[in-house]
Amino acid sequence: MPRALLSVSNKAGLAGFARGLRRLGFELYSTGGTLRVLEESAVDARSISDLTGFPEILDGRVKTLHPAVHAGLLARRDNAEHMRTLEQHGLQTIELVCVSLYPFEETAGRPGSAFDEVLEQIDIGGPTLLRAAAKNHESVVVVVRPERYTEILQALSEGGVSLALRRRLAAEAYAHTAAYDSQIAAWLRQQEGDGLFPAEISFPGYLAQPLRYGENPHQKGAFYRSAREGGGLGGLRQLQGADLSFNNLQDAAAALGLAQEFEKPAVAIIKHTNPCGLAVGEDLAEAYQKAFECDTQSAYGGVVALNRPLDAATAELMGPIFLEVVAAPAVLPEAAEILSAKTRLRLLEVPGAGRGFLDLDIRSVPGGLLVQTWDRAGFDRDSYSVATSAEPTPEQWEELRIAWLTAKHVKSNAIVLVAGGAAVGVGAGQMSRVDAVRLAVERAGDRAGGTVLASDAFFPFPDGVEAAIKAGVTAIIQPGGSMRDQEVIAVADAVGVPMVMTGMRHFKH
């Protein structure tokens, strides 16, 4: 008679799966809470102690860590010596293992969880079972996801689980334990507040959904959450529209990151991860209209993010233009009704920041990964210095704040012109800073006069500042640090344009 060992923290579908195994002739062994659920469901199952001849001890910390279990899993059926050893010691083979691990991540992420409480949710026996079964997958079927139950029962009823499926299940088991251990390692590092870049690091990921394609239609793409429950884009809820693509999510991330920089109602419009519109207002409708007017041409087919629940007035303003994505922390029912007519529009609710245990910016390069902390530096006026004789007015300080926070989200070299609480010209991704200024001025057109300017890094020559002043820029904020800072400052000082030095750059590549 084949034997199965069931030990799951996620009880969804358990009783049905166990009944199916019993109908196929399996003898079932189980542990603690899993056994109780099976007994309550009138499924014939035996305690793991009946298999090991040893009770569960240490408050359940030791129950499956026993030779009777692991010999039964690891013995090679095609190895006569292995099989003689089992017989010699009165041990039996185990043909199927179904395990879901203790809810470590859920416990660690719950507000108020004590350190010792979280520590007790680090599963030891479960990963050991999975790794052993996966190693011997030619003889042992290993199951970690309830979604597999029906497929496995069908395969067993049709003559057995194929080697190809066994290998897929084994790979799934190892990925599952790797992600689990990654969360534990990240949480432990977080407790100490250091060790950010250890000698070895791994990254958990949970498949949220396959995507229409990657950056281009000939590339495949998928979206993985960094946390099982998923905050930020990991917790998005799509209310309508076509399937999401790789670029949709990249642009949505860029738009949300910019909109969330501001306390007042704010709207960001993104095209190819660069802002083509940003504004704050007294309400979302005002902010949206000003953001849209920054670059009405580029806004077509853009991605919009808001830092407040989307309301009807703002949704009405979105009606006349084609937009790819609109993302907001919530969508009011009347706004959803208005936008339902735009069937191609992907409407997303993205409720929270969701930083999780592994709060790092990770990018892949051929042969490796680049890892850095996120650029979350805000606007710290007290740490900045005014390099010119002229000081910014209170109104200019507010505009400089908006420009500086926006420039942080623009691809380098980056220049942003702001007036009236809105970006009116953006120069992004240029190879020289003076070209970025010229592009921002060109985008702003007649609106350039009276603006303030933010530069994500220093001006290496005075030409960029000269071009800005010629266009009518009235105040400038930049990091400083160039060998020619004094020449750059002198150009602004000569015409009474205040220049603020932040001492911090915001390159974005």
Side-chain angles (χ1 to χ4, degrees):
M1 175 182 290
R3 281 159 289 278
L5 196 164
L6 311 178
S7 181
V8 296
S9 62
N10 179 2
K11 308 298 193 294
L14 170 66
F17 184 53
R19 288 192 191 96
L21 291 174
R22 287 292 298 146
R23 283 194 297 270
L24 292 165
F26 276 80
E27 185 176 33
L28 306 184
Y29 291 88
S30 193
T31 60
T34 304
L35 181 60
R36 284 193 297 274
V37 169
L38 294 179
E39 290 172 342
E40 290 166 2
S41 302
V43 178
D44 186 15
R46 301 174 64 182
S47 168
I48 192 69
S49 298
D50 293 340
L51 184 65
T52 64
F54 201 86
E56 296 184 18
I57 62 172
L58 304 181
D59 299 319
R61 282 189 168 202
V62 177
K63 49 196 173 193
T64 60
L65 299 170
H66 193 279
V69 173
H70 289 283
L73 292 175
L74 288 166
R76 291 187 55 174
R77 280 47 163 183
D78 60 352
N79 185 311
E81 183 60 32
H82 283 196
M83 300 311 291
R84 278 195 297 271
T85 299
L86 291 187
E87 184 177 0
Q88 177 185 350
H89 293 282
L91 304 177
Q92 300 172 313
T93 59
I94 299 171
E95 282 66 42
L96 184 145
V97 166
C98 178
V99 171
S100 63
L101 305 176
Y102 292 172
F104 168 82
E105 185 186 349
E106 293 85 341
T107 306
R110 190 168 59 237
S113 292
F115 182 89
D116 286 348
E117 180 186 2
V118 178
L119 207 65
E120 285 305 310
Q121 292 303 317
I122 297 177
D123 202 328
I124 303 301
T128 308
L129 287 171
L130 292 175
R131 290 175 59 81
K135 179 175 180 176
N136 203 22
H137 61 268
E138 292 187 7
S139 300
V140 184
V141 177
V142 56
V143 189
V144 296
R145 302 175 65 82
E147 296 89 331
R148 293 292 197 183
Y149 290 170
T150 300
E151 179 182 10
I152 291 165
L153 288 175
Q154 182 175 347
L156 288 169
S157 66
E158 293 175 354
V161 180
S162 69
L163 181 58
L165 177 54
R166 287 171 179 268
R167 285 180 176 166
R168 287 200 299 273
L169 293 170
E172 196 168 72
Y174 281 121
H176 186 59
T177 57
Y180 190 81
D181 286 341
S182 295
Q183 290 284 9
I184 295 168
W187 175 76
L188 284 169
R189 287 196 300 272
Q190 189 184 71
Q191 306 312 301
E192 294 302 314
D194 57 11
L196 192 62
F197 303 120
E200 295 176 321
I201 192 168
S202 55
F203 309 103
Y206 306 96
L207 182 63
Q209 62 188 95
L211 301 174
R212 295 174 68 201
Y213 46 76
E215 282 188 291
N216 301 288
H218 66 276
Q219 296 170 268
K220 295 180 179 179
F223 176 45
Y224 284 79
R225 298 185 181 98
S226 59
R228 191 177 300 278
E229 295 303 316
L233 282 173
L236 72 83
R237 187 164 74 98
Q238 184 170 351
L239 304 183
Q240 68 173 57
D243 290 342
L244 289 163
S245 72
F246 187 98
N247 294 332
N248 292 154
L249 287 172
Q250 281 210 112
D251 286 340
L256 287 163
L258 176 52
Q260 290 166 356
E261 288 278 7
F262 302 96
E263 297 80 26
K264 293 179 69 174
V267 174
I269 305 176
I270 296 290
K271 200 70 172 288
H272 304 302
T273 70
N274 268 312
C276 60
L278 177 282
V280 298
E282 294 306 313
D283 55 44
L284 277 184
E286 179 192 351
Y288 174 80
Q289 189 61 41
K290 291 195 298 184
F292 173 70
E293 289 170 355
C294 173
D295 187 345
T296 57
Q297 186 176 31
S298 296
Y300 181 87
V303 171
V304 178
L306 311 93
N307 67 350
R308 297 284 197 283
L310 175 60
D311 55 25
T314 309
E316 288 281 7
L317 292 173
M318 295 175 177
I321 185 174
F322 168 62
L323 298 170
E324 287 275 3
V325 178
V326 172
V331 178
L332 301 182
E334 53 270 28
E337 177 63 27
I338 291 166
L339 293 178
S340 64
K342 298 170 71 70
T343 56
R344 295 170 63 190
L345 172 68
R346 299 161 180 86
L347 184 58
L348 309 180
E349 283 190 333
V350 186
R355 295 178 182 177
F357 308 135
L358 194 70
D359 188 28
L360 296 170
D361 179 3
I362 304 161
R363 309 179 201 183
S364 64
V365 294
L369 297 169
L370 295 174
V371 181
Q372 65 177 349
T373 57
W374 292 101
D375 184 357
R376 292 204 174 98
F379 187 81
D380 184 11
R381 177 174 166 177
D382 291 341
S383 70
Y384 304 158
S385 62
V386 178
T388 51
S389 300
E391 294 266 351
T393 66
E395 293 77 14
Q396 285 176 326
W397 271 115
E398 179 57 23
E399 301 280 61
L400 288 169
R401 185 179 74 88
I402 295 170
W404 182 243
L405 292 175
T406 302
K408 182 176 130 181
H409 294 265
V410 177
K411 293 295 181 70
S412 303
N413 287 317
I415 296 291
V416 175
L417 303 181
V418 165
V424 297
V426 178
Q430 300 306 299
M431 285 65 75
S432 73
R433 194 152 299 276
V434 67
D435 282 345
V437 173
R438 289 168 180 155
L439 179 57
V441 167
E442 179 185 344
R443 291 290 189 189
D446 294 340
R447 297 172 296 171
T451 58
V452 305
L453 177 151
S455 174
D456 67 335
F458 63 65
F459 288 93
F461 301 99
D463 54 0
V465 173
E466 290 168 346
I469 291 171
K470 182 179 178 180
V473 167
T474 62
I476 295 171
I477 187 168
Q478 59 129 327
S482 167
M483 292 175 59
R484 294 181 175 84
D485 269 353
Q486 291 309 311
E487 297 175 42
V488 171
I489 294 166
V491 169
D493 238 349
V495 292
V497 169
M499 179 175 287
V500 175
M501 300 292 205
T502 67
M504 177 183 292
R505 78 176 190 198
H506 286 296
F507 275 163
K508 185 176 178 65
H509 289 98

